[in-house]
Structures are given as structure tokens and as C-alpha cells.
Amino acid sequence: MEQVTRASWESAYAEVGDALKTADTSKLKPEELESFRVRFVGRNGSLTALLKSLKDLSVEERRVLGPKAQELKEKLDEAVASRQRQLAAEADLAELSQSGLDVTRPAQAPTRGNLHPLTQTLQEMGRILAHMGYSWAEGPLADTDWYNFEALNFPPEHPARDMHDTFYLKGIPLLLRTHTSTVQIRSMESQRPPLRIMCPGRVFRHEEIDASHSICFHQLEGLVVDKGISFADLKGTLSTFLQKLLGPQTQTRFRPSFFPFVEPGTEVDVKCFLCGGPGCPACKHTGWIEILGAGVVHPNVFKAVGYDPEVWSGFAFGIGIERVAMLRLGVRDLRLFYENDLRFLRQFDENLV
Amino acid sequence: MRISYNWLKEHVELPMPAADLSQHLLQLGFEVSEHVRTGAQFTGVVTAKVVSKDKHPNADKLSVCVVDDGTQKWNVVCGAPNVEAGQTVAFARIGAVLPGGFKIAKAKLRGVESQGMICSNKELGLGGDHSGILVLDPATPIGEDFAKGLPCDDILEVEITPNRPDCLSHRGLARELAAFFRLSLKRLPAHAPAGSGECFPIEISAPQGCGRYRARLLEGVTVGPSPDWLKTKLASIGQRSINNVVDATNYILHDMGQPLHAFDADSLKGGRIVVRWAKAGETLKALDGVEYKLGEQLLIIADAERPVAIAGVMGGAETGVTEKTKRILLESAYFTPGVIRRATQGLRLRSDSSYRFERGVDREAVDEASERATEIMLGSGGGKVSTARDEHPGKEERPAIVVTAARLNAILGSEFPAASVESALNAFAPVEKDGEALKLTPPSWRGDLATAWDLAEEVGRMLGYNNIPSKLPSAALKPARALPAQQVCLRCAQRLADLGLSEALNYDFVSEKLLARAGIPLEGVARLANPVSEDFALMRPSLLIGLLQSAALNANRGASGVRLFEIGKTYRQTGDKLEEGWRVAGLLYGPAAEPHWRGGARALDYFDAKGTVADLLRGLPGLEWRAFDAKSPLLHPAASQTVALPQGVLGSVGRLHPAVARAWELEREEVLAFELDLEPLFELPATRPAFVPFSPFPGIRRDLSLLLGREVSYAALSETVRAAKAADLRGVELLDVFSGAGVPEGKQSLTVRLFFGRDDRTLRDAEVAAAVELVVAELSRRHGAALRS
């Protein structure tokens, strides 16, 4: 092997430098680029040989010449890398112009189910009332005459009982609750005032089933007991509740009515949100839709649970879940809620916005 | 209750048109469910004479008439078969508007101009015969506005709540309106003569049932048709006229709200009236023709020998007034509401009378009602009247209610001035003032007023609920907190919906037929005493029956797959006790996904149901899958499992029993079902997931393909893997199950994946190999498993 001298190294260096300088990598295909790279830095590449032969020179010479060789190497690497980037971009361009995918075909969504529209309605009411400070309360569906009637100021022979067609169980001294107001009594019996509760749940009426009557439906009961609670609190609470439930533009109307367990009693109407007032079939051409019953807790109810009506006062309200759901969803036939046709059940996804 | 506007105006001079009445009544707490205008609903119709009638030149069934309306003669084409020259008719001139907004204009009918229309009853909205034109009395003057001659009224159907029996009459509602508008109620004085001669003696032996009984004896009264005014009045509220005596009692009932009864006095034996409890075994054939068995709880009116009326409900057939009646005993009474209520409930018999008595009539109006009815009967039937007998054992002083305006304002949350409060109260009863205190004795007809709350409502009604301010109760008392039950139910529902099931709701009732179909024994199933029908006679012992019904309905309606769940109560009877508890159930049937162009979906199977339940219950501590406890007859005994918590069994999941699937015709694919008791979950303390750190070092997986007997369950196998106590084993998963080509008869090939890892370092291959060897040895020892090469 020939002795490497500074001069011979420098001549070889110039040769490699010239070869690099004159080379045009910009048109090389991928495989040509690879052989170009190998020509210089492959095992027998000219630049490889140049770098290897550095070790035969003196330390001083290496110190001067080494960086020059490195510089050449960097130039080469950069030329190769730049062409590689170019080639990748060209390949992407070809791929991106035609993927062969018909993106207009129908999507496939993961299977999911729906909550029943009544559950959705109930959940929303519950959320609103929870924000207003109401706690959940609960009671059995089969209950005694005491909880369903007597403690609620329906004396045994009172014709007001005619307002509730009741189911009785055979051989069991229980009835199926006709309203969620039973829970008022149960809650007041089990806790001392003040209290603020809500209770959604099923109730039962002995009726012929048709588009607007069901043997079973859902109500939500609310009860507030504290010192100094008045009819005005009832008005404010229910107006707020109905606005949150039906929209901020909701107008309410309170008119006298009768429920044995409240005095004064009221029925609450909202301005028909379908026609806005002039009258339509949904509001029976009155412009108003009856939506809930309420009133100031009757002193006899307080007496039944051992609260002193001179100290405590309160109000109670009951709202029909089906009624609200029907109005909000535009459902005209109550039976649809209990038929469980999937074409019905799957319609009522809560909107994202 | 039907109310006539004209009738109402006899009691109070109402300033507002009938159209506004509904609105005012509503503010007072009375809903008007129907409002019908009667009388003329047309304009521009006059009386006219048909001068001549000729055949229409171009139509057989039409005629051309000349009609004289008193000012001019008109050519009119008429299609009625009964039109004749010389008739006086109702003629709609050009410009007339008939009911329904139908406007009369000039028209050409088959080439002949018609300048108006001769009207039929129907065209005028008068009902009745419409086979031809309406032909009027020939004496009717022509050229008169035909509408003027017709009675016009507004009939309202008013709903009276049970607390206001005093409003079950025209006078009652008039009184209410008078109070509201501060109008005075007209007095309708009775002019019945004082009478002479004795009435039958009256004995009230049941004063708890009868607080007052007044009777008069009318002699020589002719029972016959009622006078026209009476007939018209009753007809206006849809009441049929019977005779002058019965109509008089009926009139007073609707006018004053006091039910009356007229006996044929000659048919009353022994010439006396006894108000008493019925004796066991007594019966009475009532006016409806039905023979009623009277019990000892029942109040009756008797003569000297036998019951003659069910007090307050219905008179007896034998003692009723007929055309032949000459002497009448007129009863006007006050019966105790609860007593009458018991009678109507017990006998399942109701009448307009009992409806009022069971709500409470005005004890103090008993005499006035009697006097006014007497006057009508004498006026229309002649005769004379005895003096009155008036037994009044239940007379009582109503206690006064003492309140302050401030107290009433506190109940209402209002700031009505004291003077307004006082004047509102004064509108229905005189108020005595003593400093701040307002003392008020409720009028005899207002049995519903007893407390400050009752008066607060009156003030609210009189001054308007809309004048009470709105406010929100101050200070939330306690932060709202969900009870576990509702929270758990809602979370369950949300999870199952997220898992692809839709929520169904079924009635709590099922039929015996469906239980038999499901193979559920009737024992312990609670039953309704008064079901609406056999279909809804039993309290459901399982939610799956309803879901099967829903699934079958959807399948029949063409749904490709059904995935439903329900959360609800189920019931169980033990002796005279009922247990009700929350459950969740689900039912899966059909393909795992909707058909899609990317590929057909496999059918759902047991592992989808199991996965649904496992995911629903994820995170519950101590959850255990056990062999099926065979408690549910609805599930396949060899393709089901039972899920339990340390606190108790929750329920089972499985393939539906083939007989049940067949019974509901769900046979196309496998049906999967689960039903779980939610009650044990309500007892669990609420927990939330806590962070568990994971290893920063990569884990190592090893897959083992094992050949082993088919009888070895995966549960046993995975248990053995764990039991081998291989170092750093983190988990095991089943990757593949295979039996077929290459696997000997009676064997199966299972591929399991073992996960190894440490928290402090990366494992070395040799360590893992040793651990795997240990596992394989244990599998081989316990199950004779061999590695497949």
C-alpha cells in the first residue's frame, strides 16, 4: 500500500471534492441516489477511504485536514437528505391525489342506545330542581290509604277521592299510589323541617287507556317546608322552574284550584309554546296549557305529620312528566310511551346544542 | 255542570258578555270545558212570502220562486221539494251570513239567476228536520229579522271542584260572580202560601244522617205538562221535561242546588215519614227500576211500614209521582255528606241529588227551596198546601274565623292593603272588625271555610293570584343530594344506553296468560282487586315479560334487531304483605350491529349479554360470576350464569329458555336476557375510582396454545394459571377457542395470552420462560393440558 502523504491526501481530497461538486442529485431516482451515496460513503467509497487514510498522517496534519474531510461528509449527507425529502414529497403527492376511497359512502357509528324520552324529561327536571336545592326523596308505589289519602286531607268519605280512580290490591291492605304526594308525608315523617325535596315516580289511575289516559304515568312532586314560606315563594319557584324547563320566554298563569292537601291551591298554566297565544289544538284553542298543580301546604297535612302549622309553612307542587314530554316532543298519543317501538324510542336523542 | 248564561242573569245582572264569562270563572277557580252558543248564528235572514213557484227550465229538481221580503220581490232558485207558493219562509237575502260563515251572494243556477236563498233548519244551524225548507206560521209578519224571534243563550259546561258544592247551581255561581264583581245578588222571593192543615208527622230517628227535614203536603195538584217557561229552561241545560211536579224539583236543584223529592202522598202508608237507618234485609225498588238491598249503614226515608226512598240518592218506584197523583209530599232536606257518600259507594248508584248531598248542601236554604218549588207546583197544577213541618235537629252555630290582614298576607306572600283584604272578605260574608282582627262567620253554604288558609285563598281569588308577587325561597337549606336509589337507577340507565340498549317502559301489570306463557308460577304474584282488564290484573314479578312483549312487537314490525332494557319495580306477595323492589332487565335479539356495506354483522350471543352485564356492573367490589342458580324459569338452564356480590345474589344472565323464545315467536336468532335486583346496590357505600399507578417498564406477553379436554372450563383453566403462582404474572386472557380439524375428538384447543411485568424493572426473557414453564406444568398436572406445537 502506498504511503499516504499530506500531498497525496490533499490531491485525493480535491478529487473527491470535485466529484461531489459536479454531481447533480436533483434528478436521481431513489435507487440511483442510493448508489450515489455508496460511491462516496459506502464501504469502498472514495470519501470513506479519504477519512480512513487520515490516521496515517501526523497529529498536526490530522488536526488541520480532519475538519476538511468532515465538511465534505456533511455536504454529501445534506445533498442525499435533500433529495430524499424531495422524493418523499413527490411520492406523497401521487398518493394524496388518488386514495381510491369513496368517502361519500355511509359511515358506521358504534351501536348505542337511548334513554326513554320520559327518563330524559324526568332527568332534566331533576337537574333543574337539584340546582334549586331540592334533594331526591322516594316512596313505595304500593302504599297505604293513609299516605295516599288520609294524611293528605282526603277524609275517608270525601268526594275529592273521586278525583283519583284507585287500584287496590287483593288480599293486601294497600293501594297503588295515585300521586307522588305520598312522598310528601313520608319525607316529613322521617325528617324535621326545614326541607326541600323532589320525588319523581310512577303513579297509577284506574282508567280506560286511550290517547290521553293511561293506567300508569309519571309525576314529579316537589315540597318545600320552612319558616315564612308563602304562596309568593310558590309562584317564584314554579315560574323559575318552568322557565328553565321550557325556555326563558315561558309565561305562566296561576289560577285558583282545589287539591285537598293544599290551601290556597292553584293550577299553573303556561302560555301555549306552540301557537304563542292565539289558540291551537294543543292548547284547546285557549292559548294556555295546564301544566301543574300546586298550593300552600294545608294545615291538616302538617298536623298529620306532627309539624306545627303556626310555625312551619310550605308549598307543594306536582307535575306530569308525560304531559311535559308530550308537549315538548310533539307526541300526541300517550300510549306510544309504553309501547316501546324502537322507531319511537330511538328518536329522542338530546341535541348536542 | 251545565250553566245557562240567561238563567245566571236572573240571579245577578252580569255586565260582561257571555264570551268573557269563561275567563272570569277561570280566575275564580272554575274551568269551563265547553261553551256553546245557542240561537241565531246568522244575519241577514228575514221572514218572507213565496209569491209564486215555477219549474226550473233546465232542471227537474229545482224550482224558480218569486219571494217577497216586504220591500222587494226576488227571483230565487230553490231545490227543496216542499216549497210552495203562499208559504211564509226564512229568506236569506244577498249579503246574509249563515252559520259557518257561509255568505249568500248572487248566483246562476243552471242558467237562472238566484237572488237569495230560502233556508232550511239545517242551513240556519237550528237542527231538527232538514228534508226541506223551514215553513213558518202563515201569520208571521213578513220582512222581520228572523234572528230576533229566536231564543239566544250561551251554555257553559263548568267544572266545579269537590270543595265547592255551593257552586253546583245557577244561584251558587251567580253568588260567586256577584262577590267577585261586587254586584248584588237578586232576591227571588218565594210566594208560597202559608198553607193550612197538617202535614204528615216527621220523625228523624237518625239525626247523625239527617240534619234537617222539611215537608209540605200539596193536595189537589194536577200532574201534567210543565209550563213552557219551565220546559224551555230545563231544555236549555239539556234536561228532559217530565211533568210539572218533577220539573219543579229539578228546576230548584239546578237553580238553588237543593235537591228535592216529591212523593205520591197517598201511597205513603200510615201517613207519616220516618228518617232512619235501614234494617237488615230491607229492600227497595227505586225509580230506576232496580231492586236495591239496603244495609244497616244506609239512611232511608220510610213510611209507617217500609222504606220509600234511599235518602238523598233516589226515591222508591212505588211512591213516585205519576199522572194519577193527587196528593204530593214535598221533601226538602239536609243529609250528612259522609252518609250519602257511603250509600252511593255501597250501592254504586248516583244521582244529581246524591252528587250534591255528598258534597254538602246549604242547610239554611232547605225552606226556601221548598217554598219556591211549592209555588211552581201550585201555579202550574192548582191545589192547596198544608203548613210546613220542619225538623231541624242538627242546627248548629258555625264558629267564627278570626284573622288579621297581616296573617293572610303572610300565607300569600302578598302585600295587599288591609282595607282591600277586608273588602275582599266582605264580598262573601260580613266582617266584624276589632282592631287588627277581622272576625268572619262563614255563610251557611260555605262548608269549606274554616281556617285562615281558607280565607287566604278567598282573598287570593278575589284580588287575583296574578297580583301576588313572585319570589324565591331564600337560602338553599341543604345541598341537594341524590338518594342512592335514584342515582343508581339513572346511572344504570345511562350505562346501558351507552352499551347500545334502548330504554323501554312497560306497565307494572301483567296477565295470567303471559305468566303462564313465561312459565312463571302464580304463587307469590300479587293481584289487583279491581283491574281494568284481565290483561292488567297481576303485579309483574319480572321485568322480562314486558320486554318480551316489546321485543315481539318490534320483531313483528320489522325491526332487524332488538336491544332493550327496563328499570322498574317488580312485586312479590307474602301473606298480606307486598314486597316491591327495583330491578333492571335487558333483552338482546338479532345481529350485533345494523347491516353495513363494510360487512355483515355476526348474531348476538351469550357473551354479548354477559359483556353487557359485566360492563354495567364494572367496578363493583367483590363481583362474582357463579353457576346459574336456576331461579328464573325464563333462562336456558345450561346457558346462563348468576352474578353475585358479597352482599347477595343480583340475578342472572343467559340465553332465553327455548320454550319461552318459541312462545313469543323469537326464534330467528338466539335471544339473550338478564334481570338483576338493584336493591342490594342501594346499600353499598358510594365509591369512586382511585388512581392505580402503572409500571413505566414494558410488559411481556406469551401466548400458549393448549390442547385439553372439552370438559375443562375456562374458569377452571384461568384459576389454575393463577394458582401456579408464576412470578410476575400480571394477567391472563383467552385469545382463541378451536375444535375441529387437527383437534382430537373430546378435546379443545385454547389459546391464552399471559401478561408478565414488574413495576421496578424490565423482565428478562429467561425469567419469563421459567414462569411460563411453571404455568404449563400446573395446567398439565391439573387438566392434562398439552402445548400444541
Side-chain angles (χ1 to χ4, degrees):
Chain A
M1 203 180 170
E2 206 179 319
Q3 177 66 42
V4 177
T5 65
R6 177 168 186 161
S8 71
W9 192 92
E10 281 190 334
S11 112
Y13 167 80
E15 219 171 280
V16 174
D18 286 349
L20 253 181
K21 220 175 276 171
T22 55
D24 175 11
T25 56
S26 68
K27 295 280 187 309
L28 295 181
K29 291 179 183 147
E31 59 280 8
E32 292 168 340
L33 183 65
E34 179 58 13
S35 44
F36 170 78
R37 193 185 66 81
V38 168
R39 212 175 96 208
F40 290 95
V41 292
R43 192 185 295 258
N44 300 310
S46 52
L47 184 52
T48 310
L50 197 64
L51 285 164
K52 271 189 190 160
S53 58
L54 274 175
K55 68 176 188 317
D56 299 330
L57 297 175
S58 69
V59 176
E60 293 76 31
E61 282 167 337
R62 256 185 271 165
R63 195 168 291 149
V64 180
L65 300 177
K68 289 173 84 174
Q70 272 308 323
E71 201 180 317
L72 266 191
K73 169 92 167 44
E74 274 158 31
K75 258 189 203 153
L76 173 86
D77 286 348
E78 174 49 30
V80 171
S82 132
R83 179 56 187 156
Q84 270 169 348
R85 282 196 297 272
Q86 226 174 350
L87 280 169
E90 279 166 23
D92 280 355
L93 206 63
E95 156 71 16
L96 289 175
S97 68
Q98 46 166 351
S99 66
L101 184 64
D102 176 3
V103 294
T104 67
R105 286 181 203 160
Q108 186 166 27
T111 313
R112 52 172 181 76
N114 296 66
L115 292 183
H116 195 282
L118 292 178
T119 303
Q120 293 181 30
T121 309
L122 189 152
Q123 246 180 337
E124 186 168 342
M125 291 186 191
R127 262 199 301 270
I128 295 169
L129 288 172
H131 284 140
M132 294 170 80
Y134 290 72
S135 303
W136 298 86
E138 218 206 343
L141 305 188
D143 215 329
T144 60
D145 188 86
W146 165 259
Y147 286 107
N148 199 71
F149 288 125
E150 224 174 321
L152 288 162
N153 197 32
F154 289 80
E157 304 297 348
H158 201 279
R161 290 191 176 209
D162 288 352
M163 295 157 87
H164 296 238
D165 293 308
T166 311
F167 282 115
Y168 294 91
L169 286 151
K170 196 172 186 174
I172 306 172
L174 293 176
L175 48 78
L176 297 184
R177 69 178 184 194
T178 57
H179 47 187
T180 41
S181 308
T182 51
V183 181
Q184 288 186 25
I185 305 297
R186 290 185 168 273
S187 301
M188 287 193 279
E189 274 182 351
S190 63
Q191 35 189 309
R192 297 305 304 165
L195 55 93
R196 196 180 288 210
I197 55 127
M198 61 174 153
C199 166
R202 277 193 177 198
V203 301
F204 304 87
R205 296 278 171 96
H206 189 289
E207 282 178 340
E208 288 301 318
I209 300 170
D210 63 26
S212 51
H213 295 93
S214 179
I215 47 179
C216 129
F217 55 99
H218 295 75
Q219 282 185 343
L220 185 139
E221 188 84 5
L223 172 72
V224 172
V225 180
D226 203 342
K227 286 178 181 161
I229 295 290
S230 70
F231 193 87
D233 296 302
L234 173 158
K235 280 186 74 175
T237 299
L238 293 181
S239 300
T240 307
F241 170 65
L242 290 171
Q243 277 171 0
K244 289 189 178 179
L245 184 66
L246 303 171
Q249 75 294 340
T250 305
Q251 289 181 50
T252 44
R253 174 174 85 174
F254 294 77
R255 55 185 169 80
S257 191
F258 170 69
F259 307 98
F261 42 100
V262 290
E263 186 77 26
T266 181
E267 221 141 358
V268 187
D269 302 332
V270 292
K271 189 63 136 312
C272 179
F273 42 82
L274 297 175
C275 69
C280 68
C283 61
K284 293 184 196 145
H285 304 281
T286 63
W288 293 89
I289 293 177
E290 187 181 314
I291 200 132
L292 54 76
V296 172
V297 179
H298 197 287
N300 289 353
V301 173
F302 280 154
K303 284 177 199 155
V305 297
Y307 286 12
D308 182 353
E310 296 300 330
V311 176
W312 300 103
S313 57
F315 65 83
F317 58 92
I319 184 167
I321 313 255
E322 273 83 349
R323 182 153 182 74
V324 172
M326 283 172 94
L327 290 168
R328 297 203 323 167
L329 307 173
V331 175
R332 293 282 149 79
D333 192 330
L334 193 52
R335 287 169 292 199
L336 283 168
F337 288 118
Y338 294 93
E339 194 181 60
N340 303 319
D341 190 318
L342 282 160
R343 292 168 299 179
F344 176 79
L345 297 177
R346 298 190 56 95
Q347 280 187 26
F348 306 108
D349 252 347
E350 216 170 309
N351 288 338
L352 189 59
V353 182
Chain B
M1 186 187 50
R2 264 199 212 156
I3 288 291
S4 143
Y5 176 68
N6 289 345
W7 193 337
L8 216 46
K9 286 211 290 190
E10 289 180 6
H11 290 283
V12 60
E13 202 51 64
L14 293 172
M16 80 294 289
D20 294 353
L21 207 53
S22 300
Q23 200 50 42
H24 296 308
L25 286 171
L26 201 66
Q27 279 176 28
L28 282 166
F30 304 103
E31 273 186 77
V32 175
S33 58
E34 205 184 329
H35 182 169
V36 180
R37 271 197 91 91
T38 61
Q41 312 281 310
F42 52 81
T43 56
V45 180
V46 295
T47 54
K49 191 144 232 128
V50 181
V51 178
S52 65
K53 173 194 165 189
D54 290 298
K55 275 201 61 137
H56 192 288
N58 306 324
D60 287 346
K61 290 191 173 164
L62 299 179
S63 43
V64 181
C65 303
V66 174
V67 176
D68 181 0
D69 70 357
T71 54
Q72 201 183 333
K73 291 198 171 72
W74 305 93
N75 259 328
V76 179
V77 177
C78 179
N82 66 333
V83 65
E84 295 300 342
Q87 284 170 340
T88 304
V89 295
F91 174 61
R93 286 173 174 158
I94 304 293
V97 181
L98 300 191
F102 179 53
K103 223 171 173 172
I104 302 298
K106 256 187 218 170
K108 256 193 180 164
L109 290 165
R110 296 275 184 119
V112 178
E113 190 175 78
S114 184
Q115 303 165 315
M117 186 169 94
I118 305 175
C119 303
S120 70
N121 263 327
K122 193 188 183 191
E123 284 152 351
L124 294 174
L126 300 177
D129 179 40
H130 64 276
S131 56
I133 53 155
L134 172 62
V135 181
L136 304 174
D137 185 339
T140 313
I142 63 170
E144 305 261 301
D145 183 352
F146 184 58
K148 277 212 175 125
L150 291 176
C152 172
D153 200 354
D154 286 81
I155 305 302
L156 309 176
E157 187 68 44
V158 185
E159 288 169 19
I160 309 290
T161 50
N163 59 328
R164 294 305 303 273
D166 61 302
C167 290
L168 288 167
S169 66
H170 285 82
R171 181 158 80 176
L173 269 189
R175 194 160 45 205
E176 200 66 14
L177 289 163
F180 187 51
F181 290 104
R182 313 292 153 86
L183 302 167
S184 51
L185 201 61
K186 294 184 200 169
R187 287 220 159 271
L188 301 176
H191 295 294
S196 59
E198 286 282 296
C199 179
F200 289 1
I202 291 157
E203 181 196 329
I204 300 180
S205 69
Q208 312 91 315
C210 177
R212 186 171 183 187
Y213 198 101
R214 180 185 174 93
R216 292 190 100 174
L217 198 58
L218 288 82
E219 293 190 56
V221 176
T222 310
V223 178
S226 287
D228 282 348
W229 71 265
L230 185 51
K231 279 188 193 167
T232 313
K233 195 144 264 176
L234 290 175
S236 74
I237 55 164
Q239 296 282 320
R240 200 161 52 92
S241 170
I242 294 165
N243 59 48
N244 56 337
V245 173
V246 174
D247 287 0
T249 60
N250 211 6
Y251 169 74
I252 294 300
L253 179 135
H254 290 284
D255 188 64
M256 294 179 60
Q258 172 64 46
L260 302 170
H261 185 66
F263 292 101
D264 178 340
D266 290 319
S267 66
L268 296 175
K269 296 186 179 162
R272 56 192 281 113
I273 287 287
V274 184
V275 185
R276 62 168 168 86
W277 301 112
K279 294 171 194 149
E282 279 185 320
T283 62
L284 176 71
K285 189 172 173 193
L287 281 167
D288 60 1
V290 179
E291 179 99 15
Y292 291 95
K293 279 186 193 152
L294 312 174
E296 286 168 27
Q297 296 274 301
L298 208 67
L299 188 72
I300 56 154
I301 313 300
D303 60 14
E305 297 178 6
R306 62 194 170 144
V308 293
I310 303 161
V313 184
M314 197 172 277
E318 283 177 30
T319 53
V321 170
T322 68
E323 308 289 309
K324 293 180 193 134
T325 300
K326 290 283 168 267
R327 290 206 302 164
I328 292 162
L329 183 104
L330 180 65
E331 163 198 296
S332 181
Y334 173 87
F335 299 114
T336 310
V339 169
I340 303 306
R341 168 91 181 159
R342 233 167 30 224
T344 58
Q345 298 261 303
L347 298 172
R348 296 184 172 275
L349 174 64
R350 294 184 164 199
S351 62
D352 281 345
S353 297
S354 70
Y355 192 81
R356 286 164 177 79
F357 280 126
E358 70 181 9
R359 284 163 173 72
V361 301
D362 180 4
R363 201 191 287 255
E364 301 304 325
V366 161
D367 45 355
E368 188 190 345
S370 166
E371 297 312 280
R372 289 186 55 205
T374 301
E375 184 192 353
I376 296 167
M377 289 178 192
L378 294 179
S380 61
K384 61 186 179 95
V385 67
S386 74
T387 56
R389 290 262 188 188
D390 198 339
E391 297 299 322
H392 205 159
K395 197 161 188 164
E396 58 183 35
E397 286 298 312
R398 302 262 323 261
I401 311 170
V402 182
V403 291
T404 60
R407 177 79 180 105
L408 300 186
N409 269 327
I411 291 172
L412 294 172
S414 53
E415 282 148 24
F416 294 128
S420 306
V421 171
E422 190 187 333
S423 116
L425 293 175
N426 243 325
F428 57 90
V431 174
E432 264 177 63
K433 222 175 146 185
D434 180 9
E436 295 291 296
L438 305 172
K439 185 174 164 192
L440 177 149
T441 304
S444 57
W445 56 88
R446 292 300 303 271
D448 61 315
L449 301 182
T451 65
W453 288 267
D454 301 325
L455 296 189
E457 179 171 270
E458 292 309 300
V459 169
R461 285 194 317 133
M462 292 298 141
L463 300 180
Y465 277 11
N466 51 356
N467 291 322
I468 299 171
S470 282
K471 57 183 195 188
L472 285 172
S474 55
L477 310 154
K478 287 173 208 160
R481 199 160 39 83
L483 260 192
Q486 279 130 334
Q487 185 92 311
V488 172
C489 288
L490 283 175
R491 279 194 192 172
C492 261
Q494 191 58 59
R495 277 199 180 179
L496 287 169
D498 291 346
L499 288 166
L501 284 73
S502 288
E503 188 183 14
L505 291 178
N506 283 288
Y507 297 134
D508 295 56
F509 312 116
V510 292
S511 68
E512 210 167 298
K513 205 173 82 192
L514 286 182
L515 285 194
R517 196 189 278 184
I520 298 178
L522 284 174
E523 192 209 329
V525 176
R527 196 176 277 275
L528 286 176
N530 58 335
V532 285
S533 77
E534 278 309 306
D535 288 342
F536 307 114
L538 307 176
M539 302 304 292
R540 60 182 175 188
S542 159
L543 301 176
L544 284 173
I545 299 158
L547 288 181
L548 279 164
Q549 289 287 92
S550 308
L553 174 132
N554 278 293
N556 287 337
R557 291 182 180 178
S560 62
V562 176
R563 256 170 287 186
L564 290 171
F565 75 93
E566 180 166 1
I567 293 175
K569 287 213 168 158
T570 59
Y571 306 83
R572 191 176 167 76
Q573 179 174 6
T574 334
D576 66 348
K577 299 263 186 310
L578 185 77
E579 256 176 76
E580 57 175 71
W582 287 101
R583 283 197 197 174
V584 58
L587 195 131
L588 311 175
Y589 176 63
E594 290 296 309
H596 197 264
W597 58 268
R598 287 204 289 170
R602 61 179 179 79
L604 289 165
D605 65 18
Y606 174 75
F607 299 98
D608 293 298
K610 183 178 181 178
T612 302
V613 171
D615 207 52
L616 170 68
L617 301 177
R618 70 183 185 263
L620 287 181
L623 187 73
E624 192 190 339
W625 289 84
R626 295 184 186 167
F628 183 42
D629 64 7
K631 288 240 169 79
S632 172
L634 290 156
L635 297 180
H636 190 308
S640 302
Q641 271 182 298
T642 293
V643 207
L645 286 177
Q647 290 80 4
V649 168
L650 293 178
S652 297
V653 52
R655 201 185 282 171
L656 200 67
H657 195 291
V660 176
R662 204 159 45 237
W664 265 275
E665 293 176 11
L666 296 169
E667 295 175 278
R668 207 180 55 230
E669 272 140 346
E670 258 179 43
V671 187
L672 295 318
F674 62 87
E675 183 160 25
L676 308 172
D677 192 359
L678 289 173
E679 297 287 334
L681 305 190
F682 305 153
E683 309 303 320
L684 297 179
T687 53
R688 60 181 77 251
F691 173 67
V692 180
F694 39 84
S695 170
F697 302 98
I700 291 183
R701 309 188 294 219
R702 288 290 180 267
D703 295 350
L704 305 178
S705 276
L706 300 160
L707 198 61
L708 69 176
R710 281 193 118 149
E711 73 289 350
V712 181
S713 71
Y714 176 71
L717 182 138
S718 59
E719 174 51 33
T720 301
V721 170
R722 286 194 188 89
K725 297 209 158 61
D728 305 319
L729 179 72
R730 286 278 163 104
V732 56
E733 255 178 30
L734 182 62
L735 282 194
D736 184 52
V737 177
F738 179 69
S739 55
V743 177
E745 190 64 27
K747 297 268 181 190
Q748 58 178 338
S749 160
L750 298 184
T751 306
V752 294
R753 174 167 287 177
L754 307 181
F755 293 88
F756 296 91
R758 286 181 68 95
D759 291 339
D760 55 350
R761 63 177 172 81
T762 307
L763 284 169
R764 287 184 295 273
D765 278 352
E767 291 173 297
V768 174
V772 168
E773 215 165 289
L774 197 63
V775 170
V776 171
E778 191 63 15
L779 286 170
S780 162
R781 191 176 70 78
R782 285 211 196 172
H783 308 299
L787 278 180
R788 291 183 83 201
S789 42

